[in-house]
Amino acid sequence: MALLVDKHRPRSLQQLSYHHDLSARLRSLAQNGDFPHLLVYGPSGAGKKTRIVATLKELYGPGVEKIKIDSRVFQTTANRKLEFNIVASVYHLEITPSDVGNYDRVVVQDLLKEVAQTQQVDISARQKFKVVVINEADHLSRDAQAALRRTMEKYSPNLRLILLANSTSNIIAPIKSRTLLVRVAAPTEEEICNVLRVVGASERWSEAPGLNRRIAKECGRNLRRALLMFEAVYAQNERVTDKTPIPPPDWEALIAQIADEIIAEHTPQRILQVRAKLYDLLTHCIPPTTILKTLTFKLIPKIDDALKADVIMWSAFYEHRIRLGSVSDPVNEIEGFLTALTRIFPPQKVIFHLEAFVAKFMRILESYLMGIDF
Amino acid sequence: MANFFDIRARAAAAATNGASSSKVPSKDNGQLQPRPKSLKDVTAQDHTINVLQRTLQSSNLPHMLFYGPPGTGKTSTILALAKELYGPELIKSRVLELNASDERGISIVRQKVKDFARIQLSHPPSAAYRERFPCPPYKIIVLDEADSMTQDAQSALRRTMETYSKITRFCLVCNYVTRIIDPLASRCSKFRFKSLDQVNAKRRLEEIANNEGVNMGDGAVEALMKCSDGDLRKAITFLQSAARLVGVIGDASEHTKQDADDDGGDAMDLDNSGTPLVTARIIEEIAGVVPDETIEKLIQAMQPPAKGMAYQAVAKVVTDMVADGWSATQVVLQLYGRILFNDAIPDKQKNKIVMVFSEIDKRLVDGSDEHLAILDLALRVSGILAGT
């Protein structure tokens, strides 16, 4: 059985349940025959991808839903072979260049040029151009983005790009100035409630408005997360009422536990205990940023108002450190080899930063409680 | 596909299918206004254009280095110059253009660039052709976006530039002249492209809007220029996107609009007043500018009576902002503008605030988490404002 998220994913622009003016805009862009390059940005779970797939369908008809997965091999300048997966239909390609880490430039240059230089053979096709969807565009390296610049101008008769990103901060200005920016805001709590109600009704589940509202609040305006939570609740309980607890994911429960422990006692021994748990989280591939962020927001309600600003400051500080520490030098060949390993085992350095944050937090709290500044 | 082999039927089918797209051929290449065709058409770089125009007559050209902020016409200038020098027939064989989308490592400089540089000129143009175009006896190699070339590749160019200077001129185009190594920079005569001044940019934009039959609302041109700060290409793209959005929204409501729009393109008549307006708000939305109300809300939240009390209010606004997908860099930029030009804040506090801003900006560039970064920024600024 498919997950609710996939089962009830809207397939066309008409079925989308919120941001109607945005859908109308996309539809008329698609029908106009003069489709620009797009840069779609917004937080995760806001429906960027769903919208794009629906737009593609509007552009090309149902043919875009027949997709296949290709595996291509690229050769870098250093003669290293890269395997790269492409999701493709007859009309469009979907790539995630950040998969290959520092070599994304090679993929962008080779693949896009190849696509751009071939014309649409089928004369009865609706559009003359092909669309390339680039996922996680904000993770593209600077080089890869620079390589995109001219390609976008030069080959625009044969090629349109749709870039998907969580934020436009990491996208270089020349790209931004060549694309039509489309902001997809996260759905409001009310909109999430509506979606949950509709989905619940079509699954013939008993309705619990209070529960829906609680899920909408818990999920942080992330629709995907809301639907997963919704499904989890109904899967685990026979009878669902307004009071049914929402089970948090394991990792979140563990982080909540860590937060409690930190608040309860501020000693080096406690840090050691926490360290074991942090390692546990890291080895289960929870990204360090997520750990730090969740931990921070779990700690915040438990502490005094005067401390909150400080805690946020240090949290942001260590988050920055994590980011700096785990980025490797682009030139480094060995790092390239390690990238594969890093995906399984996050760099060990991360633990220092997480621990440093824990220690710092304890110190702040202790000194505040003692009333001494040290 | 019964009529697969019937070519005529297929062509007819294609013609009906392609009709919608072939109607707007001029806009098909994604650029509302094509690049200028001759040097005269390049806007607002009078000094550079004067010098270059003189070289047109003297048939001698130095190696050149164009630098300046994006969208000021660097690439346009060199392309226009090449066109005027060689004309359509020779431009293919005499000009080599390489940009960041091409592989430009040291090996390419050694092979492709060098090979092209040392080709002797052949196929002299006919006398009649030479009358129309100067056709000077050298080739041009344009290295666009040269600041993204590696140091090694740049130093490999040094010798090539000297050895073949008789038959080849180089033109390096870049944003940051500091990224070009000194030996290269000293071999070129430098041209600085300044960002367009307001008057010129405004005139150009209005001209384009007029030509394309876009109906600009009050303050829309000003909004365009504010959002693009001197980058004309950006302004044109924004204008184009806005025109598309407005045009197509109107299009969805009435289907006959398409034809009316096409006629409107060549003549701006009175009956065109029915076209929807491009307003300042639409342009800001396209440029990703955060609305003033949102920023105002954040500023309000940052100014409560005592320190620490700010947290709840600020956290709520920031969470909403992040969920709405506003880009953190943009928020930081606009907040900065608002706070710095607020005269109610004493200079001493401003000093501290600017420090915080610079730090957060650095973090965002490094790819830190936006939510935490903005929250931190807002809380720290609020702390400073409270006077601690």
Side-chain angles (χ1 to χ4, degrees), chain B residues 33-96:
Chain B
Q33 183 81 350
R35 289 190 183 277
K37 289 220 174 50
S38 72
L39 281 179
K40 270 178 283 158
D41 297 341
V42 178
T43 312
Q45 305 293 350
D46 301 327
H47 180 68
T48 311
I49 301 302
N50 275 341
V51 174
L52 289 179
Q53 222 135 28
R54 225 165 293 147
T55 62
L56 269 181
Q57 277 121 37
S58 71
S59 89
N60 193 13
L61 201 68
H63 293 306
M64 288 175 296
L65 173 61
F66 289 0
Y67 64 100
T72 46
K74 300 177 294 296
T75 313
S76 298
T77 307
I78 186 65
L79 290 181
L81 178 72
K83 245 177 225 155
E84 287 201 10
L85 281 176
Y86 299 113
E89 277 175 43
L90 276 183
I91 196 161
K92 281 232 171 72
S93 59
R94 292 281 176 92
V95 178
L96 175 71

Side-chain angles (χ1 to χ4, degrees), chain A residues 25 32 34 36 41 43 113 147 150 153 156 167-169 177-178 180 183 186 221 300 313 319-320 323, chain B residues 29 35 97 99 101-102 233-234 237 241 244-245 248 311 323-327 329 366-370 376:
Chain A
R25 240 181 238 176
N32 200 267
D34 181 22
Y41 67 104
K113 275 200 179 162
R150 276 294 277 172
E153 275 186 5
S156 58
S167 112
T168 55
S169 293
S177 81
R178 281 173 176 82
L180 175 57
R183 185 174 59 91
R221 294 177 71 185
I300 285 288
M313 187 177 94
E319 201 273 330
H320 183 218
R323 198 63 66 147
Chain B
N29 61 0
R35 289 190 183 277
E97 196 202 341
N99 55 54
S101 70
D102 306 294
R233 182 185 44 221
K234 210 167 169 186
T237 323
S241 313
R244 256 180 200 150
L245 274 187
V248 287
Y311 181 79
D324 277 338
W326 297 114
S327 137
T329 343
D366 286 339
S368 284
D369 185 84
E370 302 199 336
D376 182 25

Side-chain angles (χ1 to χ4, degrees), chain A residues 12-25:
Chain A
S12 72
L13 284 172
Q14 283 89 353
Q15 289 169 18
L16 291 169
S17 53
Y18 53 92
H19 296 332
H20 291 292
D21 49 343
L22 181 61
S23 311
R25 240 181 238 176

Side-chain angles (χ1 to χ4, degrees), chain A residues 121-327:
Chain A
V121 185
D122 182 6
I123 8 182
S124 62
R126 278 209 227 162
Q127 310 290 349
K128 278 191 297 183
F129 52 83
K130 268 193 161 192
V131 172
V132 176
V133 180
I134 299 183
N135 289 324
E136 293 178 27
D138 45 351
H139 292 271
L140 283 175
S141 63
R142 294 280 144 115
D143 282 348
Q145 293 188 38
L148 275 182
R149 289 168 63 164
R150 276 294 277 172
T151 317
M152 288 168 82
E153 275 186 5
K154 223 167 166 179
Y155 301 108
S156 58
N158 294 335
L159 174 74
R160 293 292 189 278
L161 291 180
I162 297 181
L163 307 174
L164 290 174
N166 279 337
S167 112
T168 55
S169 293
N170 289 338
I171 296 194
I172 58 172
I175 302 273
K176 275 193 263 184
S177 81
R178 281 173 176 82
T179 47
L180 175 57
L181 298 183
V182 177
R183 185 174 59 91
V184 181
T188 59
E189 289 180 9
E190 220 160 291
E191 282 160 344
I192 292 181
C193 279
N194 280 341
V195 172
L196 292 182
R197 207 184 54 240
V198 172
V199 169
S202 69
E203 291 285 320
R204 292 161 203 271
W205 287 344
S206 63
E207 195 188 327
L211 177 77
N212 288 358
R213 219 163 301 127
R214 269 189 13 246
I215 290 180
K217 208 163 233 110
E218 282 285 290
C219 69
R221 294 177 71 185
N222 181 335
L223 188 58
R224 186 185 315 125
R225 198 145 165 231
L227 280 171
L228 288 173
M229 279 156 78
F230 188 60
E231 186 167 14
V233 169
Y234 278 88
Q236 289 178 3
N237 299 293
E238 286 281 311
R239 276 178 45 82
V240 176
T241 62
D242 281 357
K243 298 262 152 41
T244 317
I246 306 167
D250 291 347
W251 58 272
E252 234 184 284
L254 189 57
I255 291 180
Q257 206 183 329
I258 294 177
D260 286 338
E261 282 177 14
I262 295 177
I263 294 283
E265 194 186 323
H266 327 117
T267 57
Q269 287 81 21
R270 195 36 72 87
I271 297 188
L272 276 178
Q273 286 170 12
V274 168
R275 167 189 284 175
K277 294 205 165 98
L278 289 178
Y279 262 123
D280 201 20
L281 286 168
L282 285 176
T283 44
H284 283 88
C285 288
I286 310 290
T289 305
T290 319
I291 299 180
L292 189 64
K293 219 172 135 183
T294 326
L295 184 57
T296 310
F297 288 115
K298 292 258 186 250
L299 285 173
I300 285 288
K302 297 186 205 294
I303 56 173
D304 209 83
D305 265 358
L307 281 181
K308 284 175 179 167
D310 275 355
V311 172
I312 293 286
M313 187 177 94
W314 287 111
S315 166
F317 177 81
Y318 284 110
E319 201 273 330
H320 183 218
R321 283 258 176 108
I322 288 176
R323 198 63 66 147
L324 289 186
S326 56
V327 171

Side-chain angles (χ1 to χ4, degrees), chain B residues 121-357:
Chain B
L121 297 171
S122 51
H123 306 298
S126 64
Y129 191 76
R130 218 172 316 169
E131 213 136 88
R132 283 193 292 140
F133 300 102
C135 300
Y138 47 78
K139 303 178 301 288
I140 295 184
I141 296 181
V142 181
L143 294 170
D144 207 346
E145 291 151 30
D147 37 9
S148 62
M149 283 171 80
T150 58
Q151 298 254 325
D152 287 353
Q154 289 187 32
S155 32
L157 265 182
R158 294 162 57 167
R159 202 66 193 135
T160 318
M161 275 172 92
E162 272 179 5
T163 322
Y164 303 107
S165 65
K166 272 221 171 79
I167 46 172
T168 307
R169 300 288 187 273
F170 280 84
C171 179
L172 307 178
V173 179
C174 63
N175 291 131
Y176 305 103
V177 75
T178 44
R179 301 247 181 92
I180 304 290
I181 56 171
D182 282 343
L184 271 195
S186 70
R187 282 176 173 79
C188 302
S189 53
K190 294 182 201 155
F191 293 93
R192 190 172 75 88
F193 282 66
K194 48 189 183 297
S195 61
L196 267 72
D197 58 288
Q198 299 281 322
V199 187
N200 270 313
K202 192 170 175 188
R203 209 182 42 225
R204 183 77 175 181
L205 283 175
E206 277 166 354
E207 193 183 304
I208 293 172
N210 250 338
N211 283 346
E212 301 289 332
V214 181
N215 215 343
M216 301 291 277
D218 283 345
V221 179
E222 282 73 23
L224 258 185
M225 289 192 314
K226 208 178 92 194
C227 295
S228 58
D229 37 53
D231 183 342
L232 193 58
R233 182 185 44 221
K234 210 167 169 186
I236 294 177
T237 323
F238 286 158
L239 174 60
Q240 179 179 25
S241 313
R244 256 180 200 150
L245 274 187
V246 174
V248 287
I249 287 172
D251 195 75
S253 55
E254 42 168 336
H255 282 284
T256 51
K257 261 242 58 227
Q258 176 83 42
D259 304 38
D261 230 17
D262 279 0
D263 301 337
D266 36 40
M268 269 276 283
D269 294 330
L270 277 178
D271 62 292
N272 212 3
S273 55
T275 30
L277 278 179
V278 173
T279 60
R281 182 67 214 120
I282 290 180
I283 286 169
E284 281 176 359
E285 169 74 42
I286 286 169
V289 175
V290 184
D292 280 344
E293 306 94 74
T294 319
I295 295 284
E296 188 57 40
K297 234 193 269 168
L298 182 60
I299 290 180
Q300 284 301 323
M302 274 160 38
Q303 288 170 330
K307 192 204 168 192
M309 303 292 278
Y311 181 79
Q312 291 300 336
V314 171
K316 192 175 168 307
V317 177
V318 170
T319 313
D320 279 352
M321 247 166 159
V322 172
D324 277 338
W326 297 114
S327 137
T329 343
Q330 189 67 34
V331 172
V332 169
L333 209 69
Q334 282 182 262
L335 199 61
Y336 181 74
R338 289 296 289 271
I339 288 181
L340 267 232
F341 293 109
N342 185 349
D343 291 333
I345 301 171
D347 281 355
K348 213 171 168 191
Q349 289 185 359
K350 273 186 192 169
N351 285 343
K352 286 187 195 161
I353 292 175
V354 172
M355 286 278 286
V356 178
F357 267 106

